[in-house]
Amino acid sequence: MPSQLQIIEYSGLIIRNLLRLSYSYQQINKPRRRMQLQKLISALFALFFAFSCAQAASQQDRLPDIGTAGGGALSVEREQIMGDLYMRQIRATAPLVADPVLAEYLRDLGLRLVREAEGIRFPFTFFWVNQKDINAFAFFGGHVGINTGLIAETRNESELASVISHEIVHVSQRHLARQIETSQNNGGLALAGVLGAIILGMVSPDLGMAALSGSIGGIQQSQLNYSRMFEQEADRIGMDILVRSGFDPQGAPAFFGRLAEKYRYSSKLPEMLRTHPLSENRIADTRQRADLLPSPINRDERRYWLAKYRVYARHLQSHTEQTFRQQLSANDPAIVAAARYGIAIVQLDRGDAEAAERTLAPLLTAEPRNPFFIDVQADILLKQQRYNEALAMLEQAYLRLPNEQTITLNYANVALEAGQAQLAVDLLRAYLQKESDNVLAIDLLANAYAKLGKTSEMYEQRAALYALYGNFDEAINNLHNAYKQNGSELEQRRLQARIDQLLDKKRQLAALQR
Ligand SMILES: [Zn+2]
């Protein structure tokens, strides 16, 4: 798959392992009862994406007060457990972007918006899906996915932020939970069915992406009754968040208006328009509200442009060196810098490290601590085996920005390549204390332990990785291996506790299924 291949470009070492892992994951879990699964998962995904296209006027008089946050069938705690399980499944099936630079950018942007939202009950996580289709989606437990195709379609950061804040509201207002309750009350999809679909979906990861792009046509109208109200609520509250976070409120009507215009006569709508239908009314409402609000002037959008052109160059691979060169004469210096950055990535990714270094040099001189630039420079130096230069650059950056995942992961990766596995272990362990579910960090750490001959520790990290991919059996196997390799009684007790934890998690799954 191209999306996975291009992740290999980021770091061959890292991704070979991830590919192997998800491969064996799929080997282990052969899909059973395929047809039924497909149906269940389609229904489930429909719900995930179905904050949507309801006409359902006949049911309007039975609508509950929009202000009640459905606390009935789905407790916040249960919602989090489901979100966690579903995230594990997505890791194993969707073409997620394993790119620390973009991850850091999206997290900063997302959390900046979350800070201005009300009713936040759990920490939010944001992730990229490498798909051309224009889409963003939110599900249980504060997980928000953004397609690379979405940032590619936006024209400024406020447009991107308007979509993300809209999705944040779907989560903070518990639209999904409320929608499920509604469908239950109407005798639609039973909660047990929804939960079962998640669990069955985990057993059959190859169905995940098919379902992601599947249609929602099969779902009954009665299950989508409140969607239009939820859409309005997400638009309204989303714009408040947008403005409070310092973005331009015009971003929302500009983006949605352009999208509606673009696809007005199209028979094939992007996923986002299918799940968030744009009526004339909705756009007019949004525009009216935006016109009453102040627009900030001279926003600094340099990181947005770098992120977007990085997506073009490395993930969507939609731009050639020539396309980027045409942008070098743009009026906006942020666009010119991003175009130069895009050229450097294209050059590096086709193997021309010397050219890439020359292209990147002026950018790096101007901003020596910019993680976007440091990341590309680290790969340039790595390709030429200039380990000492790379280590010196990253050490300096790390001392100033010890919490930046781009710098930490690059530093650890270079240390590992340069034969300094212990340094990599120290860096990664410190990092994982702060962000325990970073798959790249865990994978690098497993490699570092392998190089040091610390087999028990290596198995333990592999277990952590399998668990993040929802494969609890393989995780427990690896923990048993770790246990056998470890002579310390104290460590064995700790490993046994971890095994018990994962067994609990498995039981939790079974319980949800009933
Ligand atoms: Zn929506």
Side-chain angles (χ1 to χ4, degrees), residues 51 166-167 170 231 276:
F51 305 120
H166 177 103
E167 294 303 325
H170 280 319
E231 280 308 305
H276 301 73

Side-chain angles (χ1 to χ4, degrees), residues 115 119 240 279 296 316 385:
R115 267 198 296 276
D240 293 344
S279 63
L316 290 174
Q385 302 186 340

Side-chain angles (χ1 to χ4, degrees), residues 460 486 489-499:
E460 194 179 346
N486 206 312
E489 198 184 322
L490 200 71
E491 280 294 288
Q492 284 188 335
R493 243 183 290 164
R494 191 181 58 79
L495 288 166
Q496 188 55 54
R498 184 84 187 105
I499 291 171

Side-chain angles (χ1 to χ4, degrees), residues 82 119 130 190 252 265 395 406 422 450 463 467 477:
M82 286 171 70
N130 198 26
Y265 303 110
E395 185 185 8
T406 305
Q422 187 56 52
N477 277 346

Side-chain angles (χ1 to χ4, degrees), residues 230-496:
F230 287 158
E231 280 308 305
Q232 281 168 353
E233 189 171 65
D235 281 345
R236 182 171 51 77
I237 302 177
M239 184 165 293
D240 293 344
I241 294 173
L242 196 65
V243 171
R244 280 202 296 269
S245 315
F247 291 95
D248 186 351
Q250 296 293 341
F255 182 67
F256 286 117
R258 208 171 58 243
L259 219 54
E261 192 61 38
K262 184 171 173 180
Y263 291 98
R264 176 161 305 189
Y265 303 110
S266 174
S267 56
K268 195 180 178 300
L269 292 179
E271 186 65 39
M272 208 170 79
L273 288 194
R274 270 179 271 148
T275 52
H276 301 73
L278 284 166
S279 63
E280 296 283 340
N281 266 351
R282 215 186 127 192
I283 296 169
D285 279 0
T286 309
R287 186 160 285 135
Q288 242 171 22
R289 214 171 304 121
D291 285 343
L292 297 173
L293 294 161
S295 290
I297 39 167
N298 293 333
R299 279 186 39 77
D300 177 3
E301 302 214 325
R302 280 176 297 176
R303 288 182 78 208
Y304 163 80
W305 285 102
L306 292 172
K308 178 164 155 165
Y309 279 25
R310 186 178 171 97
V311 163
Y312 283 154
R314 180 159 287 168
H315 299 289
L316 290 174
Q317 296 179 338
S318 54
H319 282 43
T320 61
E321 187 174 336
Q322 199 49 42
T323 346
F324 282 128
R325 284 202 182 281
Q326 286 160 9
Q327 298 292 311
L328 288 176
S329 51
N331 286 327
D332 185 344
I335 297 180
V336 176
R340 180 171 272 281
Y341 180 61
I343 294 170
I345 293 175
V346 170
Q347 289 169 330
L348 173 67
D349 288 355
R350 70 158 181 256
D352 194 346
E354 287 84 7
E357 190 171 18
R358 280 194 303 274
T359 305
L360 189 69
L363 297 175
L364 197 59
T365 308
E367 289 180 73
R369 281 191 290 280
N370 185 324
F372 282 87
F373 305 152
I374 288 179
D375 174 78
V376 173
Q377 181 67 7
D379 280 350
I380 289 169
L381 297 173
L382 208 55
K383 204 144 202 158
Q384 301 173 320
Q385 302 186 340
R386 288 152 67 187
Y387 300 126
N388 289 337
E389 280 174 74
L391 286 171
M393 173 184 75
L394 290 162
E395 185 185 8
Q396 259 207 334
Y398 182 76
L399 290 174
R400 286 177 185 273
L401 299 167
N403 295 322
E404 239 284 347
Q405 69 167 303
T406 305
I407 289 162
T408 308
L409 297 186
N410 270 294
Y411 194 11
N413 193 35
V414 171
L416 204 54
E417 293 287 312
Q420 298 192 27
Q422 187 56 52
L423 172 60
V425 167
D426 296 341
L427 290 167
L428 293 164
R429 286 189 52 156
Y431 180 74
L432 285 164
Q433 299 243 312
K434 289 170 288 192
E435 202 195 318
S436 60
D437 62 353
N438 186 304
V439 291
L440 289 179
I442 297 172
D443 193 51
L444 278 170
L445 185 54
N447 279 311
Y449 279 133
K451 286 210 172 159
L452 290 172
K454 295 191 167 178
T455 354
S456 175
E457 287 85 347
M458 178 200 71
Y459 280 124
E460 194 179 346
Q461 294 308 316
R462 284 194 186 164
L465 212 45
Y466 272 110
L468 282 173
Y469 281 79
N471 190 337
F472 295 119
D473 286 336
E474 201 53 42
I476 290 167
N477 277 346
N478 273 278
L479 283 174
H480 280 301
N481 286 335
Y483 186 97
K484 274 183 262 169
Q485 299 281 330
N486 206 312
S488 145
E489 198 184 322
L490 200 71
E491 280 294 288
Q492 284 188 335
R493 243 183 290 164
R494 191 181 58 79
L495 288 166
Q496 188 55 54

